[in-house]
Amino acid sequence: MPESVATENALPSRAEQPALSVRSLAYAYGGGPAVLNGISFDVPHGQKVAVVGPSGAGKSTLLMHLNGLLPETVPATASIAAVSVDGVAISHDTLPTIRQRVGFVFQDPDDQLFCPTVREDVAFGPLNLGLSREEVLTRVTAGLKQVGLSGYEHRSTLQLSLGERKRVCVAGVLACQPQTLVLDEPFTNLDPRARHSLIDILKQFPGTQVIATHDLDLVVKLCDRVVVLDGGQIQADGPTRELLRDRVLMEKHGLEVPWQLR
Ligand code: ADP
């Protein structure tokens, strides 16, 4: 029996489990200083969480742990896992399940897009799930529609704007029908129209979201909860407006109270 199934059966039903659970997560790159130092938090299903903090706080590193993007951190056995998704502890055996449930959108579309056409890029994830050709095409069409790029199937991603490339990335992730979206700095370098287009897409996604961003005005619009990360530790965790209007907290961690809350 695959470990993912065994793990699910051994635990309460998925509905009772948080979408994401992180326990005592610690990490250092290549024997360097600690980048994450004892991170613990749960994210209930459907919650939209912003991870904020100064550059170098460990936000990207934390997000990468949420779907096993740092291979050396994925344990061989689930019993020592620091990250669980719907009660499934991350391990070598459960990694495909974890990646199916948690879709990751990279900050830089060039880290995600590598096929000659938009259609091939969006189809890549669904094809890897082993879906039929017909189902893959259905998902590609639906994914591109969701991000407002119907008709772009045969375009080269090299000939698209940054905002369009980002939307192709999101379409590829949505086409895998994840329960949770993890997005690393999704709004960086986007012009206002592209930002608003992406906000609308994220608002319409009904699942769980974890977003690392410096754009605190967008956090107010999009997220229920904020986790402040600094020095590899959670410094504050609570409702968006309550935390982001706390000037002392914001300044202590290199942040500013967003305009809407001043
Ligand atoms: P943030 O996303 O909050 O800016 P990161 O997770 O990118 O923070 O980085 C946290 C720390 O880890 C920084 O000090 C950064 O220099 C370091 N770091 C990030 N990636 C690597 C890497 N591949 N190798 C070594 N150190 C890294």
Side-chain angles (χ1 to χ4, degrees):
M1 184 185 290
E3 193 164 349
S4 59
V5 176
T7 308
E8 280 177 321
N9 287 347
L11 290 162
S13 75
R14 268 175 45 194
E16 297 168 32
Q17 297 286 346
L20 293 168
S21 180
V22 178
R23 285 286 166 275
S24 306
L25 175 61
Y27 183 69
Y29 286 97
V35 170
L36 300 178
N37 200 352
I39 304 281
S40 298
F41 65 103
D42 286 347
V43 182
H45 285 272
Q47 193 172 62
K48 303 192 188 324
V49 184
V51 179
V52 306
S55 291
K59 302 183 293 296
S60 298
T61 308
L62 169 61
L63 262 51
M64 285 193 282
H65 278 81
L66 301 181
N67 82 340
L69 279 172
L70 295 165
E72 80 279 11
T73 68
V74 176
T77 59
S79 59
I80 55 166
V83 173
S84 298
V85 172
D86 290 335
V88 178
I90 196 167
S91 72
H92 291 172
D93 291 337
T94 62
L95 200 50
T97 306
I98 302 287
R99 294 231 168 115
Q100 194 174 342
R101 293 184 187 174
V102 180
F104 194 100
V105 179
F106 287 86
Q107 176 176 354
D108 184 351
D110 292 340
D111 289 335
Q112 198 158 338
L113 303 176
F114 56 91
C115 296
T117 65
V118 167
R119 183 167 75 177
E120 288 165 280
D121 254 315
V122 178
F124 184 80
L127 280 171
N128 266 351
L129 296 178
L131 301 172
S132 69
R133 187 180 150 72
E134 194 183 15
E135 175 64 14
V136 170
L137 286 176
T138 303
R139 291 204 185 189
V140 170
T141 303
L144 287 174
K145 189 171 178 207
Q146 272 174 284
V147 302
L149 291 181
S150 296
Y152 279 59
E153 285 82 349
H154 300 292
R155 298 273 295 267
S156 161
T157 53
L158 298 174
Q159 292 165 355
L160 301 180
S161 69
L162 175 65
E164 289 168 336
R165 292 211 306 279
K166 204 138 221 178
R167 283 193 279 157
V168 174
C169 293
V170 175
V173 171
L174 293 178
C176 294
Q177 299 185 349
Q179 294 169 11
T180 296
L181 279 185
V182 173
L183 304 106
D184 193 3
E185 298 287 357
F187 308 109
T188 305
N189 298 326
L190 294 185
D191 65 26
R193 184 182 290 174
R195 279 170 80 224
H196 284 109
S197 162
L198 187 54
I199 293 169
D200 287 342
I201 294 163
L202 297 182
K203 274 187 176 165
Q204 280 162 26
F205 179 76
T208 311
Q209 288 177 41
V210 180
I211 306 174
T213 182
H214 288 288
D215 197 331
L216 300 188
D217 280 298
L218 290 187
V219 171
V220 176
K221 286 187 184 145
L222 270 176
C223 297
D224 318 306
R225 171 182 170 193
V226 167
V227 170
V228 179
L229 193 67
D230 197 358
Q233 292 185 315
I234 292 180
Q235 308 290 344
D237 180 351
T240 297
R241 286 172 176 268
E242 196 177 298
L243 256 64
L244 295 189
R245 65 160 55 101
D246 183 338
R247 189 174 303 277
V248 174
L249 177 73
M250 293 294 98
E251 286 177 4
K252 189 172 172 193
H253 300 293
L255 302 165
E256 279 185 333
V257 176
W259 281 104
Q260 295 167 74
L261 301 183
R262 288 182 194 175

